[in-house]
Amino acid sequence: MKKIKFVFLIPVTVFIFFIGCNENKKEGMFKADATVDSAVLANLAKTPPMGWNSWNPFGKNVSEQVIRETADSFVSTGLKDAGFTYIVMDDFWSGGRDSVTGLLYPDPKRFPSGIKALADYVHSKGLKLGIYSDAGTKTCGEMPGSYGYEEKDAKQFAEWGIDFLKYDYCFCPDYVSWNNDYKMAIQRYKAMGDALKATGRPILFSICEWGPRSPWLWGKEVGGQMWRTSYDIHDIWDVPRNETSPIGILTSIDVMSDLGRFSGPGGWNDPDMLVVGLNNTGFIKGGGCNDIEYRTQMSMWCMFSAPLMMGCDVRNMNETTKTILLNKEIIAIDQDSLGKQAYRVWRKDGLEVWKKPLSGGKFAVALLNRNSSVKTLTVSWKDIEMDPTKRYDVYDVWKHATAGSKLATISSVLQPHETNVFVLKENK
Ligand code: GAL
């Protein structure tokens, strides 16, 4: 009897063992399927993300109509062909959080068809849809934040077909002061970074902590592909230096000057959105910039390999705005595969030269005039760390023309706040 029992138990145990293995395998496979592959994540932002964000032009008035028409304009104006891909709804897309299900829902008046239908529309144009939330209990505009709801919200975003999440840092619990709650910030961003990965959908994670907790040091580790380096940029060239918002174009440039080593393929320093084309008509204020200043912003953002998130109403761009945003040669500098951020190689009397190594042994050089008067800037190869014995072919990316083959120096007449950008290639 005992023998029979034993003989019977062997196959049963073997059977249970195999079932167990299969179950483990299934679970393993499921996990592998559900978690975004690290190679996919590495490819998400090989070059700086390009797109548009609703905050600067529309603020509280973002709506599905605006998003649909923006997607149409991406196609009709050539922005899509130039590489702009993400259309991001910033704060105020939300209508609240359902008290029973705990799920976020969009504002019913401004998004009557829901986010899934909107994502389908944006995807049908070959574009991607982004959304906004916050690591604290409320967004900066006091809509519900994702604190404690990270997994639920990430899953919801994935189900809607979202491709990009901008994640802000207002109303974080245990907030102590401007800059001594690093650990909390890292924890809160990691919670969402992990939750996004676990959805199985590649969602680009844009960290919007504004800089005081140095997100360039930990942004990539918590799953981010870009991180803000400074407070909110407004539609203005410069404002007196200030610890918080708003700042002007010039301050964003200066903040970036020491951060180059933290940026590169897969994770980018983000000096905030472009104000190009706002002309003081946006939700964010500032008084406006002139076209030379807007061109400087575009030039420097591209020199920085910064994410290019447009912030004007692209449905109504004037011709100058189009020539700035659709300049494929300056965009090619931004998107260069080396992904090196420019550094300030020379400065004197409000004149600066910035240098960015490009693939194929080329260099981009930007000559910037911070002064409010016209200046002629001449610098030698030695000044800008180029080989003084060599001749370089110089191409002007704003004139779309060669500036000749130069030996020893480069020179440019610069209007107030103007930046000229040249690509240098050794003439062998
Ligand atoms: C700020 C953020 C802005 C915008 C705004 C929305 O914290 O820097 O870019 O997202 O919140 O309330």
Side-chain angles (χ1 to χ4, degrees), residues 407-421:
L407 189 64
T409 62
I410 189 168
S411 163
S412 198
V413 176
L414 296 158
Q415 298 304 310
H417 306 166
E418 186 171 34
T419 302
N420 283 333
V421 182

Side-chain angles (χ1 to χ4, degrees), residues 156-395:
Q156 173 80 84
F157 298 151
E159 278 168 18
W160 279 338
I162 291 294
D163 308 291
F164 180 115
L165 173 67
K166 172 173 168 182
Y167 207 47
D168 222 334
Y169 199 64
C170 285
F171 297 102
C172 243
D174 293 351
Y175 171 87
V176 186
S177 83
W178 280 117
N179 47 24
N180 64 0
D181 59 341
Y182 283 81
K183 284 189 187 158
M184 170 56 76
I186 293 170
Q187 244 180 50
R188 299 308 346 140
Y189 277 100
K190 187 167 182 322
M192 183 49 96
D194 289 350
L196 290 175
K197 269 184 223 156
T199 65
R201 183 177 177 84
I203 298 178
L204 197 151
F205 189 29
S206 164
I207 294 172
C208 179
E209 177 280 340
W210 327 291
R213 298 162 196 86
S214 313
W216 43 87
L217 297 177
W218 47 263
K220 220 168 172 174
E221 274 165 47
V222 299
Q225 280 83 25
M226 55 194 267
W227 40 84
R228 278 271 293 275
T229 49
S230 41
Y231 288 105
D232 294 21
I233 197 166
H234 275 202
D235 188 10
I236 188 167
W237 172 249
D238 196 16
V239 285
R241 295 300 184 262
N242 184 335
E243 279 215 348
T244 58
S245 306
I247 58 171
I249 292 174
L250 213 45
T251 308
S252 286
I253 292 175
D254 289 341
V255 172
M256 287 288 272
S257 67
D258 287 330
L259 301 178
R261 64 193 181 283
F262 304 110
S263 201
W268 307 96
N269 287 331
D270 170 18
D272 204 1
M273 295 164 292
L274 295 169
V275 291
V276 176
L278 273 176
N279 297 307
N280 205 29
T281 58
F283 177 78
I284 59 154
K285 299 291 175 225
C289 299
N290 64 37
D291 290 331
I292 288 179
E293 293 164 342
Y294 286 140
R295 212 181 67 189
T296 284
Q297 192 194 21
M298 184 71 176
S299 296
M300 292 308 298
W301 266 230
C302 292
M303 289 294 290
F304 289 144
S305 274
L308 296 178
M309 300 305 290
M310 297 176 292
C312 66
D313 181 354
V314 297
R315 303 169 307 172
N316 296 306
M317 292 184 287
N318 65 28
E319 286 312 306
T320 314
T321 301
K322 283 188 200 159
T323 59
I324 297 174
L325 293 174
L326 286 159
N327 180 339
K328 291 191 181 164
E329 288 169 353
I330 195 80
I331 292 174
I333 292 176
D334 182 75
Q335 296 288 303
D336 183 80
S337 59
L338 274 190
K340 293 266 186 216
Q341 182 173 317
Y343 61 98
R344 198 193 263 124
V345 62
W346 183 92
R347 75 201 292 192
K348 199 178 175 198
D349 300 333
L351 294 170
E352 298 180 353
V353 184
W354 293 75
K355 185 174 167 190
K356 173 179 165 70
L358 298 173
S359 52
K362 293 189 263 181
F363 290 91
V365 170
L367 276 55
L368 161 66
N369 179 13
R370 301 169 77 109
N371 299 284
S372 42
S373 53
V374 182
K375 298 279 176 188
T376 300
L377 169 56
T378 304
V379 278
S380 69
W381 286 170
K382 200 161 161 271
D383 288 333
I384 60 170
E385 299 170 356
M386 308 290 289
D387 186 336
T389 64
K390 286 186 177 150
R391 178 177 282 280
Y392 291 90
D393 293 332
V394 178
Y395 185 84

